[in-house]
Amino acid sequence: MNSSSIPQMGLGTFGRTGDAGIEALLTAIEVGYRHIDTAQSYDTESSVGAAIRRSGLPRGDFFVTTKVADTNLDKASFMPSVEKSLETLGMDRVDLLLIHWPSQHDQVPFEHYMLALAEAKAKGFARLIGVSNFPIADLERTRALLGEGAIATDQVEIHPYLQSPKLRDFSRSRSLTLTAYQPLYKGKVNDDPVLRKIGASHGVSAAAAGLAFLMQEGHVVIPASSSRANLDGNFAALKVRLSEDEMNRIRALDRGLRHINPTKSPRWDD
Ligand SMILES: NC(=O)c1ccc[n+]([C@@H]2O[C@H](COP(=O)([O-])OP(=O)(O)OC[C@H]3O[C@@H](n4cnc5c(N)ncnc54)[C@H](OP(=O)(O)O)[C@@H]3O)[C@@H](O)[C@H]2O)c1
């Protein structure tokens, strides 16, 4: 595994709690997933740690991401929350530590938590650092504060129905990788007729065609599933190479459809 890069195919863990969550994770590991995405707020950090230990594979085979919750951004809570995450995961460090959401209206000053994020990396708690749900304005602030190339990714909602062209183009211009969360629009892309047709011509599902599209656009993807068939089918996206014509037909599916938009959201770019 290249130490500075994020495996393009990852696994979401939202909702995969308790014993059922551990079983789903073990199935995913059997299928081949090694990049696992959790967060302080998902209650899946313990399942992720347990599944990795039970797999019998070395910790170094995995790429584990967690995220600092927006309730832990203040100076007093930040570092203890990271230490608690590591304890819950049963790990010395994570591969990637993200700010889950920027603090709404800068209730916690931006510099406080972004410098704490950099400090967590300096302390060895994280190999790479990044952000989530950051619009361009906050990415610009990040660059001004931490310098070019300090963060490895911005994890945002992206799927064939929400392609975020402004953020995509900005990120490309800065060589910043976007991680597409909810890349299947909660499984709904698997019902899409255009994706189904393209998938069928490659011998994969519509969902896999959608994931292949996102990866070919340069994004990391983190689909979630508890079903072996879907885990397998989604993983098969790694083998697909879409033509430019197929890419354009999927690009045309963009309709700015955003699913995750809580009141704490920043002003989105598109
Ligand atoms: N940073 C953030 O703010 C943020 C926000 C949301 C999510 N995330 C991360 O992104 C991950 C993915 O997002 P998500 O879990 O919300 O949504 P998703 O990955 O788009 O969709 C997951 C849902 O789709 C179903 N599914 C999976 N593969 C399928 C397939 N091939 N065909 C049909 N249905 C399929 C799954 O059900 P089955 O179990 O039945 O397969 C599950 O209900 C999360 O788990 C989390 O790690 C991050």
Side-chain angles (χ1 to χ4, degrees), residues 61-74:
D61 284 8
F62 292 90
F63 185 99
V64 177
T65 302
T66 197
K67 315 184 192 81
V68 178
D70 54 306
T71 47
N72 287 329
L73 293 179
D74 62 282

Side-chain angles (χ1 to χ4, degrees), residues 11-16 37-38 42 67 98 100-101 132-133 155-157 159 180-188 190-191 205 207-208 222-227 229-231 233-234 259-260:
L11 178 77
T13 64
F14 182 78
R16 321 285 144 176
D37 181 83
T38 180
Y42 296 171
K67 315 184 192 81
L98 305 180
H100 205 152
W101 289 88
S132 177
N133 297 300
Q155 183 182 122
V156 288
E157 181 177 349
H159 41 72
Y181 77 62
Q182 216 159 88
L184 301 174
Y185 195 58
K186 282 283 175 199
K188 293 192 188 76
N190 201 45
D191 301 325
S205 65
I222 49 169
S225 176
S226 296
S227 117
N230 286 345
L231 286 165
N234 295 343
H259 183 238
I260 304 271

Side-chain angles (χ1 to χ4, degrees), residues 150-178:
I151 55 165
T153 194
D154 185 7
Q155 183 182 122
V156 288
E157 181 177 349
I158 293 196
H159 41 72
Y161 302 141
L162 178 69
Q163 296 182 26
S164 296
K166 282 190 195 148
L167 182 62
R168 178 198 63 204
D169 293 348
F170 173 84
S171 302
R172 275 187 191 148
S173 75
R174 296 289 151 80
S175 302
L176 175 68
T177 301
L178 295 178

Side-chain angles (χ1 to χ4, degrees), residues 58 94 119 129 236:
V94 287
E119 193 189 335
I129 53 173

Side-chain angles (χ1 to χ4, degrees), residues 1-156:
M1 197 183 293
N2 180 332
S3 64
S4 64
S5 65
I6 307 172
Q8 223 180 353
M9 173 64 78
L11 178 77
T13 64
F14 182 78
R16 321 285 144 176
T17 53
D19 288 344
I22 295 175
E23 286 309 319
L25 280 155
L26 282 168
T27 305
I29 292 168
E30 267 176 44
V31 168
Y33 293 84
R34 295 291 181 270
H35 163 190
I36 305 180
D37 181 83
T38 180
Q40 292 175 347
S41 61
Y42 296 171
D43 196 23
T44 56
E45 289 178 326
S46 62
S47 325
V48 170
I52 288 177
R53 283 189 297 279
R54 273 175 52 183
S55 76
L57 295 170
R59 162 71 181 93
D61 284 8
F62 292 90
F63 185 99
V64 177
T65 302
T66 197
K67 315 184 192 81
V68 178
D70 54 306
T71 47
N72 287 329
L73 293 179
D74 62 282
K75 270 185 177 165
S77 312
F78 194 104
M79 216 53 85
S81 85
V82 175
E83 287 170 306
K84 172 101 187 314
S85 285
L86 293 176
E87 192 187 319
T88 309
L89 283 158
M91 293 171 185
D92 297 336
R93 67 172 182 176
V94 287
D95 296 279
L96 177 61
L97 181 69
L98 305 180
I99 299 295
H100 205 152
W101 289 88
S103 176
Q104 195 184 24
H105 307 312
D106 285 341
Q107 278 156 0
V108 177
F110 188 77
E111 294 73 18
H112 287 197
Y113 59 88
M114 291 308 291
L115 291 173
L117 181 68
E119 193 189 335
K121 183 181 176 196
K123 281 176 177 288
F125 293 161
R127 202 155 59 76
L128 300 170
I129 53 173
V131 298
S132 177
N133 297 300
F134 270 35
I136 292 169
D138 285 340
L139 292 174
E140 293 281 31
R141 291 205 287 175
T142 300
R143 190 170 60 115
L145 185 67
L146 300 182
E148 191 84 55
I151 55 165
T153 194
D154 185 7
Q155 183 182 122
V156 288

